[in-house]
Structure formats: C-alpha cells, structure tokens
Amino acid sequence: MNKIVTGIFVTALLYSSITLAKNPLDFGLLIDGKPIRTADPSAHVWSDGRLYVYTSHDEECQHDFHMKDWHVFSTDDMVNWQAHGAVLSVAELSWADDYAWAPDAAYKNGKYYFVFPAGTGIKDRVTPSNSTKWMGIGIAESDSPTGPFKDVIDAPLWREPYANDPALFIDDDGKAYLYFHGQNFDYYVVEMADDMRSIQGDFIKMDMGGYEPKMEGPWVFKRDDLYYFTMPEGNRVLTYYTATSPKGPWQYRGVIMEQEHQSNNHHSIVQYQGQWLLFYHRWLETPESSCQKRQRHTAVEYLYFNPDGSIVPVTRTEQGVADFPNRTR
Ligand code: FUB
C-alpha cells in the first residue's frame, strides 16, 4: 500500500515538474492571484551552477509599458523555478520613477551587477512634441545574484545621449562592454570602466556591415571565438550578426525567430549544462484577467548551431525544454 501511495506521489511530482517546464514558464509566483507577467528575459549562469533569469515585470493589464520593478528567478534543471522576488524597483531610484524596462546582469570583480533602463516623464503618442519622456541606463551592485541590488552611484551612467535596453557582455579578458540602442534605434557599444561604476571611452555606433538593423533589445554572446550580436529587428523578428571582435564590424547572418502577432519580442541566449537556450517573451491571451488582452510571459526553446556557426531558426513550442533533465542527466 505504502509503495502504491509513494508511486502515485512520485508520478504526480514528475507530472507537475514536466507541466511546469512547458511554455510559458511557470515561475511559481502569483501576484493578486494571477501569474506574474514577465518580459525581456535575460539569462545567465553563475558560478553556483544555477541559471538565473532577470526579467522586467508587466503590471497586470498595464497601459503603455509603465513598469515599476524587476524580478529574478533561478533553476538548476530548467523545470523547477525559484522566485527570488523583486531585485530593484524605480521607487528606490532618485533619478527615475517609471519605465522599468529590459534589464541585464553581469558578474565581475566578485560582485553582481544589474544594469537597467529607467526613466521619467510622459510619452504623448498623439502629439509627440508634447512628450517629456526621458530614459537612461543605471547600474546597481550586490554581493548576491538575487540582490538586493543597490544603485551605489545614485545616478544614470550618463544623461545624454538617450539610451535604452542595455546588455552587458564580459569578454574572456574581463573587459566589460555595454550595448544599447539610442535615439534613432541605432545600436551602440561603450566600454565600462574596471569598477563598473562608469563608462570609459566613446560611444561607438557599430558598423553593421551594410545591413542596418533598427530597434531594441541587443544581446551579445561568444561561441568558439565568434561574437554574436542578436536583436529583435523592427522590434519583432529576432535576427543576428557575427564578428571576430566584440565591437564589430558585424556581418548579418539571418533570422533566429520570426515575429508573432504585431507584437514586440525580446530575448537572451545562454549555454546551460551543454544545451544552448533561447529565452524570449510571448504575448498570450489571459482569459483570467479583467482586461482580457494578450500579456507578456517568458518562454524558452533549445537553440542549435550549424557546423559553420550559423543558427538554426527556432520555432515557438508549447513543450519548450520540458525534457531538459533527461538530456543533461
Ligand atoms: O519591456 C519594455 C520594452 O518592451 C523593452 O525595453 C523592449 O525591449 C520591449 O520588450
């Protein structure tokens, strides 16, 4: 009898684990009884062997991306997630009170860094000349990957030029590069000072090899000595470039993931336990919600490379990486 009960319990546990691993990811965090709406996932593997996903947080039924804090979740098997709560909120900043948009994180000099766009003012979409919206990039520090992160410089890294959607890439030699998109949705890179509290050198508008991408959310990673610059082109289609240096010049290589609906996408790419993973967000119907509209949720798929280093285009699945534990065992 005990064996039967144990068997049922184990089967139920396995079933729930597999269910949880499906897309969108269930981070196990409810806010006002509804699953937290997350977007702009930025995934990293730190030295404790866990994978951490830093996300922005859509308020339930929010209007026009007025967002207030950022969250982090972690896992060691891509199935069971731990929610660590908000790592930072605009209420803790002296220089911004809104637009807690797509963040990233890095580890350097024994500290964890959380880099984030935030801003203030109003965007008037009907009469743009009435807009007062301003956005900048901040950097906060912690001894722990889950925070709390503190804005120790108590200011954005710079005020001009306009900057949004930062991505931090630490190269093998320890140099830190900050990528972002600027005023005309062009992509820039700037080096970080060694203490990660300021930038050094010039803003470089990158040479994209003649095919000029526009929009948001850059992400850079390195594989086999090749640098990959990836972004949601036109805000929707994930595409990529490669280069032999972190500042380019870049060469366009193609599409990673096509667009879905007329909606933005934002992603990150990381290798974990031998598998390459593409994190992204999906706009999904939320019938349980009062606004009954599509809201954003984090999802993940496997990513594969061809022998020449090109990326095999990825399709969205419901299954996601539910079989991850079987692959990596
Ligand atoms: O989440 C707010 C904004 O929407 C992000 O900064 C963009 O990348 C887009 O995902």
mmCIF file of all heavy atoms in Angstrom, residues 312-328:
data_model
loop_
_atom_site.group_PDB
_atom_site.id
_atom_site.type_symbol
_atom_site.label_atom_id
_atom_site.label_comp_id
_atom_site.label_asym_id
_atom_site.label_seq_id
_atom_site.Cartn_x
_atom_site.Cartn_y
_atom_site.Cartn_z
ATOM 1 N N VAL A 312 20.344 27.732 -36.374
ATOM 2 C CA VAL A 312 19.169 27.099 -36.967
ATOM 3 C C VAL A 312 17.936 27.879 -36.477
ATOM 4 O O VAL A 312 17.767 28.064 -35.260
ATOM 5 C CB VAL A 312 19.050 25.621 -36.527
ATOM 6 C CG1 VAL A 312 17.797 24.970 -37.109
ATOM 7 C CG2 VAL A 312 20.313 24.855 -36.912
ATOM 8 N N PRO A 313 17.092 28.387 -37.411
ATOM 9 C CA PRO A 313 15.926 29.155 -36.969
ATOM 10 C C PRO A 313 15.071 28.368 -35.962
ATOM 11 O O PRO A 313 14.931 27.151 -36.063
ATOM 12 C CB PRO A 313 15.160 29.399 -38.279
ATOM 13 C CG PRO A 313 16.213 29.343 -39.336
ATOM 14 C CD PRO A 313 17.205 28.314 -38.870
ATOM 15 N N VAL A 314 14.538 29.106 -35.012
ATOM 16 C CA VAL A 314 13.799 28.498 -33.897
ATOM 17 C C VAL A 314 12.305 28.761 -34.071
ATOM 18 O O VAL A 314 11.911 29.877 -34.420
ATOM 19 C CB VAL A 314 14.256 29.125 -32.557
ATOM 20 C CG1 VAL A 314 13.507 28.506 -31.383
ATOM 21 C CG2 VAL A 314 15.759 28.979 -32.378
ATOM 22 N N THR A 315 11.487 27.736 -33.796
ATOM 23 C CA THR A 315 10.043 27.974 -33.777
ATOM 24 C C THR A 315 9.546 27.908 -32.332
ATOM 25 O O THR A 315 10.134 27.227 -31.491
ATOM 26 C CB THR A 315 9.272 26.931 -34.612
ATOM 27 O OG1 THR A 315 9.770 25.647 -34.291
ATOM 28 C CG2 THR A 315 9.413 27.174 -36.094
ATOM 29 N N ARG A 316 8.467 28.618 -32.075
ATOM 30 C CA ARG A 316 7.887 28.623 -30.729
ATOM 31 C C ARG A 316 7.187 27.286 -30.483
ATOM 32 O O ARG A 316 6.461 26.805 -31.362
ATOM 33 C CB ARG A 316 6.875 29.763 -30.585
ATOM 34 C CG ARG A 316 7.486 31.142 -30.695
ATOM 35 C CD ARG A 316 6.424 32.209 -30.865
ATOM 36 N NE ARG A 316 6.997 33.552 -30.950
ATOM 37 C CZ ARG A 316 7.497 34.096 -32.058
ATOM 38 N NH1 ARG A 316 7.496 33.424 -33.195
ATOM 39 N NH2 ARG A 316 8.008 35.309 -32.031
ATOM 40 N N THR A 317 7.388 26.714 -29.317
ATOM 41 C CA THR A 317 6.723 25.461 -28.980
ATOM 42 C C THR A 317 6.028 25.586 -27.631
ATOM 43 O O THR A 317 6.370 26.458 -26.828
ATOM 44 C CB THR A 317 7.718 24.287 -28.889
ATOM 45 O OG1 THR A 317 8.542 24.487 -27.722
ATOM 46 C CG2 THR A 317 8.575 24.167 -30.131
ATOM 47 N N GLU A 318 5.101 24.686 -27.409
ATOM 48 C CA GLU A 318 4.457 24.616 -26.099
ATOM 49 C C GLU A 318 5.317 23.777 -25.164
ATOM 50 O O GLU A 318 5.375 23.998 -23.971
ATOM 51 C CB GLU A 318 3.101 23.932 -26.270
ATOM 52 C CG GLU A 318 1.995 24.574 -25.472
ATOM 53 C CD GLU A 318 0.712 23.824 -25.697
ATOM 54 O OE1 GLU A 318 0.015 24.124 -26.686
ATOM 55 O OE2 GLU A 318 0.432 22.911 -24.896
ATOM 56 N N GLN A 319 6.006 22.825 -25.763
ATOM 57 C CA GLN A 319 6.823 21.884 -24.999
ATOM 58 C C GLN A 319 8.032 22.563 -24.359
ATOM 59 O O GLN A 319 8.449 22.197 -23.259
ATOM 60 C CB GLN A 319 7.284 20.781 -25.969
ATOM 61 C CG GLN A 319 8.252 19.784 -25.428
ATOM 62 C CD GLN A 319 7.568 18.752 -24.554
ATOM 63 O OE1 GLN A 319 6.349 18.807 -24.369
ATOM 64 N NE2 GLN A 319 8.330 17.839 -23.981
ATOM 65 N N GLY A 320 8.591 23.564 -25.055
ATOM 66 C CA GLY A 320 9.766 24.244 -24.522
ATOM 67 C C GLY A 320 10.905 23.276 -24.271
ATOM 68 O O GLY A 320 11.240 22.464 -25.135
ATOM 69 N N VAL A 321 11.479 23.339 -23.080
ATOM 70 C CA VAL A 321 12.610 22.472 -22.757
ATOM 71 C C VAL A 321 12.207 21.496 -21.645
ATOM 72 O O VAL A 321 13.007 21.175 -20.768
ATOM 73 C CB VAL A 321 13.853 23.302 -22.374
ATOM 74 C CG1 VAL A 321 14.257 24.199 -23.535
ATOM 75 C CG2 VAL A 321 13.620 24.133 -21.128
ATOM 76 N N ALA A 322 10.975 21.009 -21.713
ATOM 77 C CA ALA A 322 10.457 20.135 -20.656
ATOM 78 C C ALA A 322 11.305 18.879 -20.469
ATOM 79 O O ALA A 322 11.327 18.304 -19.379
ATOM 80 C CB ALA A 322 9.015 19.749 -20.968
ATOM 81 N N ASP A 323 12.018 18.465 -21.521
ATOM 82 C CA ASP A 323 12.838 17.250 -21.384
ATOM 83 C C ASP A 323 14.276 17.561 -20.967
ATOM 84 O O ASP A 323 15.141 16.691 -21.043
ATOM 85 C CB ASP A 323 12.835 16.476 -22.711
ATOM 86 C CG ASP A 323 13.559 17.236 -23.805
ATOM 87 O OD1 ASP A 323 13.804 18.454 -23.626
ATOM 88 O OD2 ASP A 323 13.875 16.629 -24.847
ATOM 89 N N PHE A 324 14.530 18.782 -20.528
ATOM 90 C CA PHE A 324 15.902 19.196 -20.185
ATOM 91 C C PHE A 324 16.572 18.224 -19.202
ATOM 92 O O PHE A 324 17.713 17.810 -19.432
ATOM 93 C CB PHE A 324 15.877 20.610 -19.617
ATOM 94 C CG PHE A 324 17.229 21.220 -19.413
ATOM 95 C CD1 PHE A 324 17.849 21.934 -20.421
ATOM 96 C CD2 PHE A 324 17.895 21.080 -18.197
ATOM 97 C CE1 PHE A 324 19.109 22.495 -20.234
ATOM 98 C CE2 PHE A 324 19.152 21.632 -18.000
ATOM 99 C CZ PHE A 324 19.760 22.340 -19.017
ATOM 100 N N PRO A 325 15.902 17.813 -18.119
ATOM 101 C CA PRO A 325 16.581 16.923 -17.174
ATOM 102 C C PRO A 325 16.999 15.602 -17.822
ATOM 103 O O PRO A 325 18.053 15.053 -17.489
ATOM 104 C CB PRO A 325 15.522 16.683 -16.084
ATOM 105 C CG PRO A 325 14.638 17.875 -16.166
ATOM 106 C CD PRO A 325 14.579 18.224 -17.635
ATOM 107 N N ASN A 326 16.205 15.107 -18.775
ATOM 108 C CA ASN A 326 16.577 13.847 -19.433
ATOM 109 C C ASN A 326 17.791 14.042 -20.331
ATOM 110 O O ASN A 326 18.603 13.157 -20.499
ATOM 111 C CB ASN A 326 15.413 13.319 -20.292
ATOM 112 C CG ASN A 326 14.188 13.069 -19.454
ATOM 113 O OD1 ASN A 326 14.321 12.838 -18.247
ATOM 114 N ND2 ASN A 326 13.019 13.131 -20.056
ATOM 115 N N ARG A 327 17.908 15.231 -20.937
ATOM 116 C CA ARG A 327 19.019 15.487 -21.849
ATOM 117 C C ARG A 327 20.338 15.638 -21.114
ATOM 118 O O ARG A 327 21.398 15.358 -21.657
ATOM 119 C CB ARG A 327 18.789 16.770 -22.620
ATOM 120 C CG ARG A 327 17.692 16.673 -23.633
ATOM 121 C CD ARG A 327 17.724 17.910 -24.475
ATOM 122 N NE ARG A 327 16.748 17.806 -25.543
ATOM 123 C CZ ARG A 327 16.837 18.472 -26.678
ATOM 124 N NH1 ARG A 327 17.828 19.293 -26.883
ATOM 125 N NH2 ARG A 327 15.931 18.331 -27.602
ATOM 126 N N THR A 328 20.262 16.168 -19.922
ATOM 127 C CA THR A 328 21.503 16.569 -19.261
ATOM 128 C C THR A 328 21.933 15.583 -18.170
ATOM 129 O O THR A 328 22.983 15.763 -17.574
ATOM 130 C CB THR A 328 21.344 17.966 -18.635
ATOM 131 O OG1 THR A 328 20.208 17.959 -17.779
ATOM 132 C CG2 THR A 328 21.142 19.020 -19.693
#
